[in-house]
Amino acid sequence: EAPQDVDFLAPIDFISPSLKKAIPLDKAIKFEWKQIPNVLGLHASIFGMEGTNTMVMWSSSEVFSDSTVFSKMDYLQMAEVRDYVEKTIFMKGDRTSVAVPAGIFEKCQMPMMLMIGYGPGAALDKGQPLPRIQTKTTLSMMLEWPARTM
């Protein structure tokens, strides 16, 4: 059984832009989402191919690190998440928006956004090895649908 203070995280729920139509890639994109209760840190990234030899990458991180280029998709210890937030690799848990510069994905075919929110967990004191509970919420979506032809 999970301790009472550990609960599943809410899904990432976008307020804007509208996800019912293709997002204009020639303009700046401001993503806004509902605040996720209990989330400790967030990370967003977008990847797209421009032609056959160029990959365009954007990250919500304020600094460069190996963790910013390819966001860790696994479950992280709460201490790791707090450290990444402190180093501005991850956004603070109370953050509800991020902006992508205008036009960086304009020539890309079907850019994809990945977003992860990391929540609290617990190490349980029964059993060997010690069982651990961790929580996260994820989102994966294409920014352009249907795909346009180049």
Side-chain angles (χ1 to χ4, degrees):
E1 291 185 21
Q4 286 185 328
D5 61 339
V6 176
D7 202 355
F8 289 103
L9 293 176
I12 299 167
D13 189 3
F14 276 100
I15 298 169
S16 71
S18 171
L19 302 180
K20 294 182 180 185
K21 58 183 179 176
I23 296 169
L25 300 177
D26 60 335
K27 297 177 174 62
I29 307 166
K30 184 174 182 183
F31 291 98
E32 293 182 90
W33 56 90
K34 293 180 183 176
Q35 189 167 12
I36 304 166
N38 302 319
V39 75
L40 303 173
L42 298 154
H43 187 265
S45 58
I46 302 173
F47 303 88
M49 286 301 296
E50 186 177 309
T52 57
N53 297 319
T54 304
M55 177 180 271
V56 179
M57 298 182 287
W58 170 88
S59 168
S60 62
S61 301
E62 294 183 24
V63 295
F64 178 81
S65 99
D66 290 339
S67 299
T68 64
V69 175
F70 297 104
S71 174
K72 291 190 173 197
M73 298 294 289
D74 54 354
Y75 289 88
L76 302 176
Q77 297 280 347
M78 289 184 292
E80 286 179 284
V81 174
R82 288 184 181 105
D83 182 52
Y84 286 163
V85 169
E86 185 177 313
K87 291 177 179 173
T88 66
I89 295 170
F90 286 176
M91 298 177 281
K92 291 182 180 180
D94 61 357
R95 182 103 172 248
T96 59
S97 68
V98 70
V100 177
I104 64 172
F105 292 102
E106 184 176 10
K107 296 179 183 177
C108 291
Q109 187 72 14
M110 295 179 57
M112 177 173 219
M113 180 179 199
L114 304 170
M115 190 167 171
I116 305 172
Y118 296 91
L124 306 179
D125 61 359
K126 54 186 170 187
Q128 288 296 323
L130 287 178
R132 195 174 68 170
I133 298 172
Q134 295 187 267
T135 58
K136 74 176 182 176
T137 184
T138 61
L139 171 85
S140 175
M141 69 177 176
M142 301 307 275
L143 296 187
E144 183 179 54
W145 188 258
R148 68 190 147 125
T149 55
M150 301 302 255

